[in-house]
Amino acid sequence: MKRQRSPAGGTRVKTRPVLTALALISGALFAPGFGVLSVTTEAHAATKISHATATSMFRQVGITWSSSGGCSDRNRPTCTSFEQLNLASAQGAQTLKRATGCALNITGGTETGHASGTYSHWNGYKLDYAKGTCVTNYIKSTFTYIGVRGDGAPQWRSGSGNIYADEGNHWDVLYYNCGGC
């Protein structure tokens, strides 16, 4: 650092270069997706996939899906659609299947009828899974219990930051990322 004599005869450090360096470092640390202080819940531009791409990905690892209406129309609440699903959510489902070895059946995707919000089904961040002993035991014994959601659903957080909420008859999973794919 460049030092210069102060009027009192001592040496002082020029503050402008120091402040510039601190600003650059703090900007990098707090930038979304970068640095040790980044937060996994920041909204990032997500890669969207088609229903056909998602079903192909699910078939590759043995994940099944079903709907009460026997359909995949995104605009009908009784259907199970994967249209506009985030790629990271589909990859997260694959990661869960590979990690657990459990049977996984998706009962809710991007179709209308779920709660709204940034991190919603409609926006491609969430999938619902049918309850099963295998997957329930895995979630509760592997992930960290983090308390209840505003609606009373107990929640667990995976090591990668994804949130698994027990909604009684199914698991509501919020994928911020692919879970280590």
Side-chain angles (χ1 to χ4, degrees):
M1 270 187 264
K2 191 173 185 180
R3 295 182 187 272
Q4 73 184 93
R5 290 266 181 215
S6 70
T11 304
R12 68 178 179 160
V13 177
K14 282 195 169 187
T15 56
R16 186 178 311 267
V18 172
L19 292 175
T20 302
L22 287 173
L24 289 171
I25 290 168
S26 64
L29 287 175
F30 292 101
F34 182 85
V36 294
L37 299 177
S38 65
V39 177
T40 59
T41 58
E42 298 227 10
H44 298 287
T47 300
K48 302 294 185 177
I49 60 174
S50 68
H51 182 83
T53 298
T55 57
S56 175
M57 291 174 69
F58 298 149
R59 276 190 198 97
Q60 289 173 5
V61 295
I63 296 173
T64 59
W65 57 94
S66 58
S67 73
S68 59
C71 52
S72 62
D73 183 342
R74 178 169 160 81
N75 296 302
R76 290 182 47 202
T78 57
C79 298
T80 297
S81 175
F82 306 121
E83 198 60 43
Q84 295 296 303
L85 183 67
N86 294 342
L87 176 61
S89 298
Q91 291 169 326
Q94 290 179 312
T95 300
L96 181 64
K97 172 64 177 173
R98 289 179 180 123
T100 65
C102 300
L104 284 182
N105 182 55
I106 301 172
T107 59
T110 60
E111 66 280 348
T112 191
H114 298 278
S116 62
T118 301
Y119 299 105
S120 64
H121 282 272
W122 182 262
N123 288 334
Y125 287 93
K126 287 186 162 193
L127 291 171
D128 288 342
Y129 297 100
K131 279 284 207 58
T133 303
C134 180
V135 73
T136 295
N137 288 344
Y138 180 87
I139 291 167
K140 290 183 176 183
S141 66
T142 307
F143 302 150
T144 303
Y145 178 73
I146 58 169
V148 296
R149 204 167 57 184
D151 63 0
Q155 302 176 101
W156 285 259
R157 181 183 292 120
S158 70
S160 63
N162 297 323
I163 307 293
Y164 293 73
D166 183 345
E167 292 192 346
N169 64 348
H170 69 275
W171 285 100
D172 177 75
V173 182
L174 170 55
Y175 288 106
Y176 291 116
N177 58 64
C178 68
C181 59

